[in-house]
Amino acid sequence: MPPHRAVWIPAGVVHAHLAYGPTELRALSFAPADNPLRLDRPTVLAVTPLLREVVACLTDDTELTGDARRRRNLERVALDQLRRVEPLGVCLPTPADDRLRDIARILQADPADGRTLTELGTAVGAAPRTLSRLFRAETGMSFPQWRTQLRLHHALTLLASGGSVTSVAVACGYSGPSAFIQSFRQAFGTTPGSYAASTS
């Protein structure tokens, strides 16, 4: 996640995280009843500058350790800011159907694989219409949307590991750096170069 994004994980959701390159992780926990966005699944959020500073204060300030009232006041500010943030559609749902999982494995191994859904369907033994319907039913997005999300998630990993914008664009199947930059900015609100600089 870029620094101006966060992930809301509702209470009771089993989760794990992976880090690539230099990483700073800040995590806040709230009571299960505190769900200002009324979300029932993990969701990527846009983070306001105020929310970012409140999170930094809550996770850095050792003075808050013995001051429960001050800490609770800041937590209220964080919850108020969370009610105002925008959920973003940048998650990558994992399909359950075996044929879709096979396609996911193929594309995770090589995000630049440009085969159509028809060609991938031949590889996994399913008709493109069936696969298209299943992608919408199981992930909530079309196959092209899902593949774009996969490529963007892979790009985050490569950029955090020191890849150049041009090499990452090629590795993720974009026709060139400008198409990659546009897609990345639309999804994450920043350019790949700025994201890479923030992780180094």
Side-chain angles (χ1 to χ4, degrees), residues 55-77:
V55 169
C57 186
L58 284 167
T59 55
D60 280 347
D61 196 341
T62 55
E63 292 177 22
L64 293 177
T65 306
D67 192 342
R69 188 173 62 80
R70 232 176 106 207
R71 180 170 192 82
R72 186 61 190 152
N73 286 340
L74 281 173
E75 288 173 347
R76 282 192 196 104
V77 173

PDB file of all heavy atoms in Angstrom, residues 55-77:
ATOM      1  N   VAL A  55      -3.016   8.593  12.796  1.00  0.00           N
ATOM      2  CA  VAL A  55      -2.489   7.226  12.866  1.00  0.00           C
ATOM      3  C   VAL A  55      -1.034   7.257  13.308  1.00  0.00           C
ATOM      4  O   VAL A  55      -0.610   6.472  14.168  1.00  0.00           O
ATOM      5  CB  VAL A  55      -2.645   6.497  11.514  1.00  0.00           C
ATOM      6  CG1 VAL A  55      -1.865   5.188  11.507  1.00  0.00           C
ATOM      7  CG2 VAL A  55      -4.112   6.250  11.203  1.00  0.00           C
ATOM      8  N   ALA A  56      -0.259   8.196  12.766  1.00  0.00           N
ATOM      9  CA  ALA A  56       1.155   8.308  13.162  1.00  0.00           C
ATOM     10  C   ALA A  56       1.265   8.624  14.652  1.00  0.00           C
ATOM     11  O   ALA A  56       2.082   8.029  15.365  1.00  0.00           O
ATOM     12  CB  ALA A  56       1.846   9.386  12.333  1.00  0.00           C
ATOM     13  N   CYS A  57       0.420   9.527  15.137  1.00  0.00           N
ATOM     14  CA  CYS A  57       0.460   9.891  16.556  1.00  0.00           C
ATOM     15  C   CYS A  57       0.071   8.696  17.434  1.00  0.00           C
ATOM     16  O   CYS A  57       0.721   8.417  18.442  1.00  0.00           O
ATOM     17  CB  CYS A  57      -0.479  11.067  16.800  1.00  0.00           C
ATOM     18  SG  CYS A  57      -0.387  11.699  18.487  1.00  0.00           S
ATOM     19  N   LEU A  58      -0.970   7.994  17.046  1.00  0.00           N
ATOM     20  CA  LEU A  58      -1.435   6.854  17.841  1.00  0.00           C
ATOM     21  C   LEU A  58      -0.435   5.697  17.855  1.00  0.00           C
ATOM     22  O   LEU A  58      -0.401   4.901  18.789  1.00  0.00           O
ATOM     23  CB  LEU A  58      -2.785   6.360  17.322  1.00  0.00           C
ATOM     24  CG  LEU A  58      -3.993   7.230  17.694  1.00  0.00           C
ATOM     25  CD1 LEU A  58      -5.214   6.840  16.870  1.00  0.00           C
ATOM     26  CD2 LEU A  58      -4.292   7.131  19.182  1.00  0.00           C
ATOM     27  N   THR A  59       0.364   5.594  16.816  1.00  0.00           N
ATOM     28  CA  THR A  59       1.318   4.476  16.753  1.00  0.00           C
ATOM     29  C   THR A  59       2.727   4.867  17.185  1.00  0.00           C
ATOM     30  O   THR A  59       3.565   3.990  17.394  1.00  0.00           O
ATOM     31  CB  THR A  59       1.367   3.878  15.328  1.00  0.00           C
ATOM     32  OG1 THR A  59       1.663   4.923  14.393  1.00  0.00           O
ATOM     33  CG2 THR A  59       0.042   3.232  14.972  1.00  0.00           C
ATOM     34  N   ASP A  60       3.016   6.169  17.308  1.00  0.00           N
ATOM     35  CA  ASP A  60       4.363   6.629  17.682  1.00  0.00           C
ATOM     36  C   ASP A  60       4.457   7.190  19.083  1.00  0.00           C
ATOM     37  O   ASP A  60       5.480   7.055  19.740  1.00  0.00           O
ATOM     38  CB  ASP A  60       4.839   7.739  16.728  1.00  0.00           C
ATOM     39  CG  ASP A  60       5.363   7.187  15.422  1.00  0.00           C
ATOM     40  OD1 ASP A  60       5.581   5.977  15.342  1.00  0.00           O
ATOM     41  OD2 ASP A  60       5.541   7.982  14.484  1.00  0.00           O
ATOM     42  N   ASP A  61       3.413   7.862  19.529  1.00  0.00           N
ATOM     43  CA  ASP A  61       3.487   8.677  20.736  1.00  0.00           C
ATOM     44  C   ASP A  61       3.452   7.821  21.997  1.00  0.00           C
ATOM     45  O   ASP A  61       2.404   7.333  22.412  1.00  0.00           O
ATOM     46  CB  ASP A  61       2.336   9.687  20.745  1.00  0.00           C
ATOM     47  CG  ASP A  61       2.553  10.810  21.738  1.00  0.00           C
ATOM     48  OD1 ASP A  61       3.380  10.630  22.654  1.00  0.00           O
ATOM     49  OD2 ASP A  61       1.910  11.855  21.586  1.00  0.00           O
ATOM     50  N   THR A  62       4.616   7.670  22.633  1.00  0.00           N
ATOM     51  CA  THR A  62       4.683   6.875  23.871  1.00  0.00           C
ATOM     52  C   THR A  62       3.996   7.582  25.027  1.00  0.00           C
ATOM     53  O   THR A  62       3.638   6.950  26.019  1.00  0.00           O
ATOM     54  CB  THR A  62       6.146   6.571  24.239  1.00  0.00           C
ATOM     55  OG1 THR A  62       6.859   7.809  24.309  1.00  0.00           O
ATOM     56  CG2 THR A  62       6.794   5.662  23.217  1.00  0.00           C
ATOM     57  N   GLU A  63       3.790   8.903  24.911  1.00  0.00           N
ATOM     58  CA  GLU A  63       3.093   9.638  25.963  1.00  0.00           C
ATOM     59  C   GLU A  63       1.648   9.174  26.103  1.00  0.00           C
ATOM     60  O   GLU A  63       1.033   9.336  27.151  1.00  0.00           O
ATOM     61  CB  GLU A  63       3.110  11.138  25.666  1.00  0.00           C
ATOM     62  CG  GLU A  63       4.482  11.765  25.751  1.00  0.00           C
ATOM     63  CD  GLU A  63       4.444  13.235  25.371  1.00  0.00           C
ATOM     64  OE1 GLU A  63       3.365  13.847  25.459  1.00  0.00           O
ATOM     65  OE2 GLU A  63       5.497  13.764  24.991  1.00  0.00           O
ATOM     66  N   LEU A  64       1.086   8.617  25.031  1.00  0.00           N
ATOM     67  CA  LEU A  64      -0.308   8.173  25.083  1.00  0.00           C
ATOM     68  C   LEU A  64      -0.471   6.880  25.869  1.00  0.00           C
ATOM     69  O   LEU A  64      -1.580   6.517  26.243  1.00  0.00           O
ATOM     70  CB  LEU A  64      -0.847   7.967  23.664  1.00  0.00           C
ATOM     71  CG  LEU A  64      -1.002   9.226  22.805  1.00  0.00           C
ATOM     72  CD1 LEU A  64      -1.474   8.838  21.409  1.00  0.00           C
ATOM     73  CD2 LEU A  64      -1.971  10.196  23.439  1.00  0.00           C
ATOM     74  N   THR A  65       0.631   6.191  26.131  1.00  0.00           N
ATOM     75  CA  THR A  65       0.553   4.903  26.815  1.00  0.00           C
ATOM     76  C   THR A  65      -0.159   5.011  28.155  1.00  0.00           C
ATOM     77  O   THR A  65      -0.998   4.188  28.497  1.00  0.00           O
ATOM     78  CB  THR A  65       1.963   4.308  27.015  1.00  0.00           C
ATOM     79  OG1 THR A  65       2.607   4.252  25.750  1.00  0.00           O
ATOM     80  CG2 THR A  65       1.890   2.918  27.618  1.00  0.00           C
ATOM     81  N   GLY A  66       0.144   6.051  28.903  1.00  0.00           N
ATOM     82  CA  GLY A  66      -0.474   6.194  30.218  1.00  0.00           C
ATOM     83  C   GLY A  66      -1.631   7.172  30.258  1.00  0.00           C
ATOM     84  O   GLY A  66      -2.100   7.522  31.333  1.00  0.00           O
ATOM     85  N   ASP A  67      -2.082   7.647  29.111  1.00  0.00           N
ATOM     86  CA  ASP A  67      -3.146   8.651  29.069  1.00  0.00           C
ATOM     87  C   ASP A  67      -4.300   8.123  28.218  1.00  0.00           C
ATOM     88  O   ASP A  67      -4.437   8.454  27.043  1.00  0.00           O
ATOM     89  CB  ASP A  67      -2.588   9.961  28.495  1.00  0.00           C
ATOM     90  CG  ASP A  67      -3.541  11.132  28.683  1.00  0.00           C
ATOM     91  OD1 ASP A  67      -4.741  10.891  28.932  1.00  0.00           O
ATOM     92  OD2 ASP A  67      -3.078  12.274  28.566  1.00  0.00           O
ATOM     93  N   ALA A  68      -5.140   7.309  28.851  1.00  0.00           N
ATOM     94  CA  ALA A  68      -6.234   6.648  28.122  1.00  0.00           C
ATOM     95  C   ALA A  68      -7.225   7.645  27.555  1.00  0.00           C
ATOM     96  O   ALA A  68      -7.765   7.450  26.457  1.00  0.00           O
ATOM     97  CB  ALA A  68      -6.950   5.661  29.040  1.00  0.00           C
ATOM     98  N   ARG A  69      -7.462   8.758  28.263  1.00  0.00           N
ATOM     99  CA  ARG A  69      -8.442   9.739  27.778  1.00  0.00           C
ATOM    100  C   ARG A  69      -7.958  10.409  26.493  1.00  0.00           C
ATOM    101  O   ARG A  69      -8.702  10.536  25.527  1.00  0.00           O
ATOM    102  CB  ARG A  69      -8.707  10.792  28.857  1.00  0.00           C
ATOM    103  CG  ARG A  69      -9.864  11.739  28.501  1.00  0.00           C
ATOM    104  CD  ARG A  69     -10.198  12.652  29.669  1.00  0.00           C
ATOM    105  NE  ARG A  69      -9.106  13.513  30.042  1.00  0.00           N
ATOM    106  CZ  ARG A  69      -8.787  14.653  29.398  1.00  0.00           C
ATOM    107  NH1 ARG A  69      -9.488  15.033  28.356  1.00  0.00           N
ATOM    108  NH2 ARG A  69      -7.783  15.399  29.804  1.00  0.00           N
ATOM    109  N   ARG A  70      -6.685  10.819  26.495  1.00  0.00           N
ATOM    110  CA  ARG A  70      -6.134  11.439  25.283  1.00  0.00           C
ATOM    111  C   ARG A  70      -6.128  10.464  24.116  1.00  0.00           C
ATOM    112  O   ARG A  70      -6.440  10.805  22.979  1.00  0.00           O
ATOM    113  CB  ARG A  70      -4.702  11.913  25.580  1.00  0.00           C
ATOM    114  CG  ARG A  70      -4.497  13.365  25.206  1.00  0.00           C
ATOM    115  CD  ARG A  70      -3.123  13.823  25.604  1.00  0.00           C
ATOM    116  NE  ARG A  70      -2.324  13.941  24.390  1.00  0.00           N
ATOM    117  CZ  ARG A  70      -1.016  13.819  24.357  1.00  0.00           C
ATOM    118  NH1 ARG A  70      -0.339  13.543  25.436  1.00  0.00           N
ATOM    119  NH2 ARG A  70      -0.380  13.959  23.232  1.00  0.00           N
ATOM    120  N   ARG A  71      -5.747   9.220  24.412  1.00  0.00           N
ATOM    121  CA  ARG A  71      -5.712   8.199  23.359  1.00  0.00           C
ATOM    122  C   ARG A  71      -7.110   7.987  22.784  1.00  0.00           C
ATOM    123  O   ARG A  71      -7.284   7.912  21.570  1.00  0.00           O
ATOM    124  CB  ARG A  71      -5.155   6.884  23.901  1.00  0.00           C
ATOM    125  CG  ARG A  71      -5.109   5.803  22.843  1.00  0.00           C
ATOM    126  CD  ARG A  71      -4.351   4.562  23.287  1.00  0.00           C
ATOM    127  NE  ARG A  71      -4.132   3.734  22.128  1.00  0.00           N
ATOM    128  CZ  ARG A  71      -3.174   3.892  21.241  1.00  0.00           C
ATOM    129  NH1 ARG A  71      -2.307   4.872  21.378  1.00  0.00           N
ATOM    130  NH2 ARG A  71      -3.064   3.105  20.194  1.00  0.00           N
ATOM    131  N   ARG A  72      -8.109   7.885  23.641  1.00  0.00           N
ATOM    132  CA  ARG A  72      -9.482   7.663  23.163  1.00  0.00           C
ATOM    133  C   ARG A  72      -9.966   8.848  22.332  1.00  0.00           C
ATOM    134  O   ARG A  72     -10.662   8.665  21.335  1.00  0.00           O
ATOM    135  CB  ARG A  72     -10.419   7.396  24.356  1.00  0.00           C
ATOM    136  CG  ARG A  72     -11.826   7.018  23.948  1.00  0.00           C
ATOM    137  CD  ARG A  72     -11.830   5.732  23.118  1.00  0.00           C
ATOM    138  NE  ARG A  72     -13.137   5.511  22.532  1.00  0.00           N
ATOM    139  CZ  ARG A  72     -13.370   4.864  21.398  1.00  0.00           C
ATOM    140  NH1 ARG A  72     -12.387   4.353  20.694  1.00  0.00           N
ATOM    141  NH2 ARG A  72     -14.586   4.706  20.950  1.00  0.00           N
ATOM    142  N   ASN A  73      -9.576  10.067  22.704  1.00  0.00           N
ATOM    143  CA  ASN A  73      -9.958  11.239  21.907  1.00  0.00           C
ATOM    144  C   ASN A  73      -9.383  11.150  20.495  1.00  0.00           C
ATOM    145  O   ASN A  73     -10.069  11.439  19.511  1.00  0.00           O
ATOM    146  CB  ASN A  73      -9.496  12.533  22.588  1.00  0.00           C
ATOM    147  CG  ASN A  73     -10.350  12.886  23.793  1.00  0.00           C
ATOM    148  OD1 ASN A  73     -11.481  12.400  23.929  1.00  0.00           O
ATOM    149  ND2 ASN A  73      -9.817  13.723  24.678  1.00  0.00           N
ATOM    150  N   LEU A  74      -8.116  10.755  20.405  1.00  0.00           N
ATOM    151  CA  LEU A  74      -7.498  10.614  19.082  1.00  0.00           C
ATOM    152  C   LEU A  74      -8.133   9.470  18.293  1.00  0.00           C
ATOM    153  O   LEU A  74      -8.307   9.555  17.073  1.00  0.00           O
ATOM    154  CB  LEU A  74      -5.987  10.393  19.210  1.00  0.00           C
ATOM    155  CG  LEU A  74      -5.170  11.650  19.480  1.00  0.00           C
ATOM    156  CD1 LEU A  74      -3.718  11.292  19.762  1.00  0.00           C
ATOM    157  CD2 LEU A  74      -5.257  12.627  18.316  1.00  0.00           C
ATOM    158  N   GLU A  75      -8.482   8.391  18.988  1.00  0.00           N
ATOM    159  CA  GLU A  75      -9.169   7.294  18.305  1.00  0.00           C
ATOM    160  C   GLU A  75     -10.521   7.743  17.755  1.00  0.00           C
ATOM    161  O   GLU A  75     -10.926   7.334  16.671  1.00  0.00           O
ATOM    162  CB  GLU A  75      -9.343   6.102  19.254  1.00  0.00           C
ATOM    163  CG  GLU A  75      -8.039   5.378  19.532  1.00  0.00           C
ATOM    164  CD  GLU A  75      -8.168   4.297  20.593  1.00  0.00           C
ATOM    165  OE1 GLU A  75      -9.205   4.251  21.308  1.00  0.00           O
ATOM    166  OE2 GLU A  75      -7.224   3.494  20.718  1.00  0.00           O
ATOM    167  N   ARG A  76     -11.219   8.613  18.492  1.00  0.00           N
ATOM    168  CA  ARG A  76     -12.492   9.162  17.995  1.00  0.00           C
ATOM    169  C   ARG A  76     -12.279   9.978  16.728  1.00  0.00           C
ATOM    170  O   ARG A  76     -13.073   9.921  15.802  1.00  0.00           O
ATOM    171  CB  ARG A  76     -13.159  10.021  19.078  1.00  0.00           C
ATOM    172  CG  ARG A  76     -13.844   9.224  20.151  1.00  0.00           C
ATOM    173  CD  ARG A  76     -14.734  10.126  21.014  1.00  0.00           C
ATOM    174  NE  ARG A  76     -15.083   9.456  22.233  1.00  0.00           N
ATOM    175  CZ  ARG A  76     -14.547   9.701  23.423  1.00  0.00           C
ATOM    176  NH1 ARG A  76     -13.644  10.647  23.565  1.00  0.00           N
ATOM    177  NH2 ARG A  76     -14.919   9.016  24.478  1.00  0.00           N
ATOM    178  N   VAL A  77     -11.177  10.751  16.709  1.00  0.00           N
ATOM    179  CA  VAL A  77     -10.853  11.525  15.507  1.00  0.00           C
ATOM    180  C   VAL A  77     -10.587  10.574  14.338  1.00  0.00           C
ATOM    181  O   VAL A  77     -11.063  10.785  13.223  1.00  0.00           O
ATOM    182  CB  VAL A  77      -9.642  12.454  15.742  1.00  0.00           C
ATOM    183  CG1 VAL A  77      -9.207  13.115  14.438  1.00  0.00           C
ATOM    184  CG2 VAL A  77      -9.977  13.511  16.793  1.00  0.00           C
TER     185      VAL A  77
END
